[in-house]
């Protein structure tokens, strides 16, 4: 079996599966690995006493088993190991769950704060654009990329709230955006050759390597998307900022089942003390994208 060596969030990933989304590992292949990804059989339950097997299981040791029927089983353990069993090798939709949900579980196991946000470099500042699924994070990120700004992550911003010497660091993931066809058409993004993120979905995996830097970088601001009649930024008071950050946690249900509520709330408070959090109100309309991007640039680009 051939092995592949990638970098992800600054980690050396040794993978038995080719993952074109990830950047090559810049060091030597014999360097110690941080993450091992392997392909092989995965049981349908963590505990033989679990009946019937469920789509998501969390073990007493914090291990997570994710099962997508007729597609994939993924076992994430110890913040270091991911085992993948593809149930339909001809359907590449398993990649969405490996580099989305499974990556979030891995971050939780490693003591990091996975924020449900896109992350961009706007001028000299690093901004996380947070919001619920479907809020328009990726579409706004694509708008800013078309203006020459850089992408550090889509849908998941990995934050180190404890190891940055008093600062909050972003650990850049990989330079990909997941965009619906209507967003690509509105932004005139060519779709030729872009793979669908899942079979039957009109959503595509768009590579955007321009401006991507894999080195950790301090987070300068969090923008929480809100829908409203006009375009406006409002900075949140510290207590509201912590609440917004905690609400923006990716996979909160899994985190709760892992017993991480206290630690993650403490991390949200640490982030809120250091990083300004703003609400970004704008209409949910493609016509409002340029005005929204103008406001972000006028406030944050230096």
């Amino acid at each position: 079996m051939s092995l592949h060596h990638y970098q992800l969030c600054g980690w050396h990933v040794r993978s038995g599966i080719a993952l074109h989304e990830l950047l090559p590992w810049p060091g030597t292949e014999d360097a110690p690995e941080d993450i091992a990804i392997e392909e092989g059989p995965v049981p349908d339950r963590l505990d033989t006493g679990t009946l019937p097997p469920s789509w998501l299981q969390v073990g007493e040791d914090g291990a997570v088993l994710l099962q997508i029927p007729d597609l994939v089983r993924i076992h994430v353990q110890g913040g270091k190991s991911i085992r993948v069993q593809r149930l339909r090798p001809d359907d590449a939709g398993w990649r969405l769950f490996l580099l989305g949900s499974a990556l979030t579980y891995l971050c939780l196991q490693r003591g990091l704060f996975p924020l449900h946000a896109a992350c961009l470099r706007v001028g000299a500042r690093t901004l996380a654009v947070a919001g619920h699924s479907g809020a328009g994070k990726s579409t706004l990120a694509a708008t800013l990329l078309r203006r020459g700004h850089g992408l550090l992550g889509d849908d998941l911003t990995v934050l180190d709230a404890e190891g940055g010497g008093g600062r909050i660091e972003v650990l850049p993931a990989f330079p990909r955006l997941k965009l619906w066809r209507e967003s690509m058409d509105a932004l005139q993004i060519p779709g030729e050759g872009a793979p669908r993120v899942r079979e039957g979905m009109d959503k595509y995996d768009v590579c955007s390597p321009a401006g991507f830097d894999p080195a950790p970088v301090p987070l300068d601001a969090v923008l929480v998307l809100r829908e409203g009649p006009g375009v406006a930024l409002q900075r949140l008071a510290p207590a509201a900022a912590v609440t917004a950050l905690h609400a923006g946690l990716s996979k909160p249900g899994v985190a709760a089942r892992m017993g991480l509520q206290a630690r993650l709330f403490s991390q949200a408070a640490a982030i809120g003390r250091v990083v300004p959090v703003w609400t970004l109100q704008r209409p949910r309309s493609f016509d409002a994208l340029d005005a929204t991007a103008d406001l972000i640039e006028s406030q944050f680009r230096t």
Side-chain angles (χ1 to χ4, degrees), residues 11 21 50 64 80 106 110 117 122 138 167 174 181 199 204 213 222 225 239 257 276 293:
W11 309 317
E21 296 89 344
T50 303
V64 181
K80 296 181 178 180
L106 188 84
R110 294 181 72 91
V122 175
S138 297
R167 67 181 190 175
F174 47 90
R181 169 60 70 180
E199 191 175 279
Y204 297 84
D213 186 344
V222 176
L225 294 182
R257 292 172 64 179

Side-chain angles (χ1 to χ4, degrees), residues 19-76:
L19 299 171
H20 60 263
E21 296 89 344
L22 304 187
L23 298 181
W25 173 245
T28 61
E29 293 185 354
D30 59 355
E33 68 193 42
D34 298 296
I35 309 296
I37 300 175
E38 59 180 355
E39 186 169 19
V42 174
D44 63 359
R45 66 200 74 193
L46 290 177
D47 181 350
T48 55
T50 303
L51 291 174
S54 61
W55 72 273
L56 180 69
Q57 300 170 48
V58 178
E60 292 183 0
D61 62 350
V64 181
L65 174 62
L66 173 68
Q67 302 189 78
I68 308 301
D70 300 319
L71 182 64
V72 69
R73 291 189 190 123
I74 305 176
H75 182 218
V76 187

Side-chain angles (χ1 to χ4, degrees), residues 4 10 22 25 27 44 56 92 115 118 120 125-126 128 141 179 183-184 203 213 225 246 254 263-264 277 280:
H4 308 271
L22 304 187
W25 173 245
D44 63 359
L56 180 69
L115 185 65
L120 300 110
R125 296 190 178 183
T126 301
L179 292 171
S183 295
M184 296 171 66
K203 194 174 190 179
D213 186 344
L225 294 182
H246 195 257
V254 177
R263 191 194 79 194
L264 290 164
V277 178
L280 174 56

Side-chain angles (χ1 to χ4, degrees), residues 119 126 128 152 157-160 168-173 214-219:
C119 193
T126 301
L152 301 180
T157 297
V158 181
L159 300 179
D160 184 350
I168 306 302
E169 285 195 330
V170 175
L171 308 184
V217 62
L219 179 64

Side-chain angles (χ1 to χ4, degrees), residues 6-301:
Y6 301 109
Q7 56 181 322
L8 171 66
C9 299
W11 309 317
H12 176 197
V13 177
R14 177 183 58 79
S15 176
I17 307 172
L19 299 171
H20 60 263
E21 296 89 344
L22 304 187
L23 298 181
W25 173 245
T28 61
E29 293 185 354
D30 59 355
E33 68 193 42
D34 298 296
I35 309 296
I37 300 175
E38 59 180 355
E39 186 169 19
V42 174
D44 63 359
R45 66 200 74 193
L46 290 177
D47 181 350
T48 55
T50 303
L51 291 174
S54 61
W55 72 273
L56 180 69
Q57 300 170 48
V58 178
E60 292 183 0
D61 62 350
V64 181
L65 174 62
L66 173 68
Q67 302 189 78
I68 308 301
D70 300 319
L71 182 64
V72 69
R73 291 189 190 123
I74 305 176
H75 182 218
V76 187
Q77 189 171 30
K80 296 181 178 180
S81 171
I82 301 178
R83 189 172 179 86
V84 180
Q85 181 179 0
R86 291 183 280 180
L87 305 178
R88 283 188 57 194
D90 60 320
D91 185 343
W94 59 271
R95 310 176 82 92
L96 173 66
F97 297 96
L98 173 61
L99 296 173
S101 298
L103 176 57
T104 300
Y105 308 148
L106 188 84
C107 291
L108 289 168
Q109 291 170 352
R110 294 181 72 91
L112 300 166
F113 191 95
L115 185 65
H116 193 187
C119 193
L120 300 110
R121 192 73 173 166
V122 175
R125 296 190 178 183
T126 301
L127 309 179
V129 179
H132 59 77
S133 295
K137 301 182 296 295
S138 297
T139 301
L140 179 55
T143 302
L144 290 164
L145 293 181
R146 294 183 74 237
R147 294 180 172 220
H149 304 296
L151 179 69
L152 301 180
D154 173 44
D155 204 46
L156 178 64
T157 297
V158 181
L159 300 179
D160 184 350
E162 299 174 356
R167 67 181 190 175
I168 306 302
E169 285 195 330
V170 175
L171 308 184
F174 47 90
R176 297 273 171 166
L177 278 173
K178 298 184 290 295
L179 292 171
W180 292 101
R181 169 60 70 180
E182 61 178 350
S183 295
M184 296 171 66
D185 290 344
L187 296 173
Q188 300 182 345
I189 297 173
E192 294 80 8
R196 295 177 186 264
V197 299
R198 282 203 74 183
E199 191 175 279
M201 287 183 67
D202 204 22
K203 194 174 190 179
Y204 297 84
D205 179 17
V206 179
C207 180
S208 183
F212 183 83
D213 186 344
V217 62
L219 179 64
D220 293 301
V222 176
L223 312 182
V224 181
L225 294 182
R226 297 281 188 267
E227 188 171 351
V231 179
L233 275 166
Q234 181 178 358
R235 184 166 175 177
L236 295 177
V242 173
T243 299
L245 288 165
H246 195 257
L249 178 71
S250 185
K251 309 299 180 187
V254 177
R257 292 172 64 179
M258 294 170 72
L260 301 177
Q261 302 99 312
R263 191 194 79 194
L264 290 164
F265 187 82
S266 177
Q267 289 179 334
I271 296 167
R273 283 195 298 268
V274 177
V275 179
V277 178
W278 304 68
T279 58
L280 174 56
Q281 176 187 284
R282 81 280 181 259
R284 285 294 306 278
S285 164
F286 292 124
D287 293 339
L289 284 170
D290 281 332
T292 306
D294 287 344
L295 178 60
I296 291 172
E297 288 180 333
S298 66
Q299 179 69 41
F300 297 105
R301 184 169 61 181

